[in-house]
């Protein structure tokens, strides 16, 4: 039976869904704003900006949120949910048009949010702040103005260029741009004003991305099912997997953000912010239950003719999502409870946490006792560990073998990542150059060795199902395409990987970029992720197990390693001998009054870089030699089998066959190698 028959004329239509959801959002926004305003009240002597700003600001923010979700959802439909070739089909083009139209509304409403926010800050009517000089100063000098301008600009670019997109690659680019356009809002408002603002803004960013993908994807999945598209069952199953990950991201980000903003659990019931948060949490919990019901019941029914059941439950989900979005706008207008306490110091404002105690002498125990939670690396390592565990369990469930050493190596690498990004290495790394360099070396030269030996791509290729003949490419096919893409071929060339590994250190530390990155949490986080990424790339080329583009033979890899590491030593010596202080403005602003001087601290950083570079090189050389020996042993066994099949009587022929096999191994690309 065709999908259109399953949906039926009695199924909900997309415009009817909007007619039901829009009033629900408006009603809940009004109730949440009134509740938040009633809880805080107006401060005596403070002039109000007027009723227009008071009501237009939350409503314009609601329009911006809804249109942003619609933009992301349409792009998710075009890029992830609907199967298709590299050239977009007519259905994908329609989704891109929907995304562009929603992006236009997003751009206009985001600009309106900026204007009304300025009016609210100055407590002046909108007409009094609509001056070019005032608006320009707000955009360039205030974080809220900058965030609104960045979001509006991103949305405007998508609205302009989105209709002309004809390839899947550009569609993926604009999906990434739309998700990036959500992030500036995370760096303003309650999250940025929290005491632990680093964790608050990252958790809010994760929450925003998760809820946008979840809600937006469901909206346009409903459109596809209601229209009776033949690929609706495939899109529904893809969305089911995506929605599970989005729910985890949304819930985890929300829980961490609430724990940071609320002084205590009692404030959940005694404050307006806490009560709105409880209501939003209840809505998300019901959404999770609805998603579980989808996975267990209606997805199978959709394949067998149950389109109406799917649509009825999905409409209920959409109404719950509308409720959650309305409550979210109310939360944005409701200040969290405040506990009177000491005014944060300048160092605490810069770091996001109090100045740590003196490090002391060896064994520097505060490096193991001073911990600071980082949501990005916490979520990332948890997700990596969970996915790896699922893959290993699937292999064992079907009787396949997976080396225990790879599992140990992977989880040891994740543990060291947590140690480098949330222990005292992360805390003291923001106040001492020497500790920061130790953190850099661990992320760039220790963690990558452990992770690449875990062979995550090989595990994924062995556990992910292969798409049926004639079916659209699945995750396994997409992973294979990525591993052998032109981009990966270029960046994994030994020369390129070496330049990125060593050259990025010079580019970061010996330019003003270092101080710029240290001054913001987003920049500091990007720097750590970059160091980890280039380390993974370099050591994947040298000792990686996972398949990929053509690699040099083992002797060539050893030559690349030996040629690259002297430049690392040169970097360390230059750091120790330099009389110019790097990022002096940042270290001075932090105001550390204990420990070595800035000059001695920089010398220690160079010494740490020098000392910690030799051990990873030695370990890598041993691993490379072991891989070389094992590879020769495998080739020898292949030759022995060939001799047993008919060449045993001619020793010269056997020897020539052995040499030919060695040469063939050196020329063979990873594309022909089966994952072991």
């Amino acid at each position: 039976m065709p999908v259109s028959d399953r949906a039926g004329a009695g199924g909900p239509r997309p415009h009817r869904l909007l007619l039901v959801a829009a009033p629900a959002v408006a009603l809940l926004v009004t109730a949440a704003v009134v509740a938040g305003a009633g809880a805080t009240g107006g401060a005596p002597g403070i002039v109000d900006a007027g009723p227009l700003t008071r009501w237009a600001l939350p409503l314009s923010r609601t329009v911006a949120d809804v249109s942003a979700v619609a933009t992301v959802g349409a792009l998710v439909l075009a890029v992830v949910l609907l199967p298709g070739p590299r050239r977009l089909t007519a259905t994908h083009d329609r989704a891109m048009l929907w995304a562009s139209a929603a992006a236009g509304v997003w751009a206009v409403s985001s600009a309106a949010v900026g204007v009304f926010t300025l009016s609210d800050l100055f407590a002046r009517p909108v007409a009094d702040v609509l001056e070019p000089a005032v608006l320009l100063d707000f955009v360039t000098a205030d974080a809220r103005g900058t965030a609104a301008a960045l979001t509006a600009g991103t949305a405007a670019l998508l609205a302009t260029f989105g209709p002309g997109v004809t390839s899947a690659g550009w569609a993926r680019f604009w999906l990434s741009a739309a998700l990036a356009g959500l992030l500036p809002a995370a760096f303003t408002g309650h999250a940025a004003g929290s005491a632990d603002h680093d964790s608050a803004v990252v958790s809010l960013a994760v929450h925003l991305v998760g809820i946008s993908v979840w809600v937006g994807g469901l909206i346009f999945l409903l459109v596809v099912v209601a229209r009776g598209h033949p690929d609706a069952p495939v899109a529904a199953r893809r969305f089911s997997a995506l929605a599970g990950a989005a729910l985890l991201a949304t819930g985890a980000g929300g829980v961490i953000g609430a724990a940071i903003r609320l002084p205590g659990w009692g404030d959940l019931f005694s404050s307006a912010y806490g009560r709105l948060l409880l209501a939003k949490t209840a809505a998300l919990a019901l959404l999770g239950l609805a998603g579980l019901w989808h996975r267990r019941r209606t997805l199978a029914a959709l394949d067998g003719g149950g389109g109406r059941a799917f649509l009825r439950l999905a409409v209920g989900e959409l109404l719950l999502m509308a409720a959650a979005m309305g409550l979210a706008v109310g939360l944005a207008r409701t200040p969290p409870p405040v506990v009177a306490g000491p005014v944060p110091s300048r160092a605490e404002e810069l770091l996001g946490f109090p100045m740590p105690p003196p490090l002391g002498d060896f064994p520097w125990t505060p490096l193991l006792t001073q911990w600071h939670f980082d949501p990005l690396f916490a979520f990332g390592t948890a997700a990596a560990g969970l996915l790896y565990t699922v893959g290993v369990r699937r292999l064992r469930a079907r009787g396949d073998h997976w080396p225990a050493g790879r599992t140990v190596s992977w989880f040891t690498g994740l543990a060291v990542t947590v140690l480098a990004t949330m222990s005292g290495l992360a805390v003291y790394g923001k106040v001492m150059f020497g500790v920061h360099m130790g953190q850099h070396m661990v992320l760039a030269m220790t963690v990558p060795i452990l992770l690449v030996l875990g062979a995550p791509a090989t595990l994924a290729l062995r556990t992910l199902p292969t798409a049926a003949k004639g079916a659209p490419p699945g995750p396994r096919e997409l992973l294979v395409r990525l591993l052998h893409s032109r981009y990966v071929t270029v960046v994994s060339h030994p020369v390129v990987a070496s330049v990125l590994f060593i050259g990025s250190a010079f580019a970061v530390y010996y330019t003003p970029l270092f101080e710029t990155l240290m001054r913001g949490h987003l920049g500091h986080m990007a720097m750590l992720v970059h160091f980890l990424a280039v380390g993974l790339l370099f050591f994947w080329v040298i000792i990686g197990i996972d398949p990929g583009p053509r690699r040099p033979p083992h002797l060539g890899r050893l030559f690349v390693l030996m040629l690259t590491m002297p430049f690392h030593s040169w970097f360390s010596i230059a750091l120790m001998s330099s009389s110019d202080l790097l990022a002096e403005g940042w270290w001075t602003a932090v105001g550390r009054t204990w420990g070595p001087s800035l000059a001695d601290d920089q010398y220690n950083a160079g010494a740490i870089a020098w000392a910690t570079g030799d051990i990873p090189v030695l370990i890598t050389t041993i691993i490379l030699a072991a891989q070389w020996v094992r590879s020769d042993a495998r080739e020898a066994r292949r030759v022995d089998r060939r001799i047993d099949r008919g060449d045993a009587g001619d020793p010269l022929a056997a020897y020539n066959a052995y040499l030919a096999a060695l040469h063939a191994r050196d020329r063979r690309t990873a594309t022909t190698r089966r994952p072991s």
Side-chain angles (χ1 to χ4, degrees), residues 366-373 415 418-424 427:
L367 291 179
L368 299 177
T369 59
Q370 295 290 320
W371 287 76
H372 180 71
F373 183 76
V418 171
L419 185 69
T421 55
M422 286 185 272
S423 71
V427 173

Side-chain angles (χ1 to χ4, degrees), residues 449 539 542-543 561 615-625:
I449 296 175
F539 287 102
I542 302 298
I543 58 172
L561 180 65
I615 297 177
V617 172
L618 176 62
I619 294 174
T620 304
T621 304
I622 294 174
I623 294 171
L624 186 59

Side-chain angles (χ1 to χ4, degrees), residues 309-379:
F310 180 89
L311 285 173
R312 282 195 297 268
L313 184 57
V315 169
E317 279 191 87
L318 184 63
L319 292 176
L320 282 173
M321 288 179 175
M325 292 184 66
L327 293 169
V329 174
L331 278 173
R333 293 287 293 167
T334 306
V338 179
V339 177
V343 178
S345 64
R346 175 59 176 165
E348 188 171 355
E349 291 178 352
L350 291 173
L351 300 173
F353 49 84
M355 173 68 73
L359 189 57
D361 298 326
F362 184 82
W364 308 302
T365 53
L367 291 179
L368 299 177
T369 59
Q370 295 290 320
W371 287 76
H372 180 71
F373 183 76
D374 189 305
L376 175 69
F377 288 100
F379 294 156

Side-chain angles (χ1 to χ4, degrees), residues 19-43:
L19 289 176
V20 173
V25 174
L27 180 62
L28 281 163
V29 167
T30 303
V33 171
V34 170
T40 56

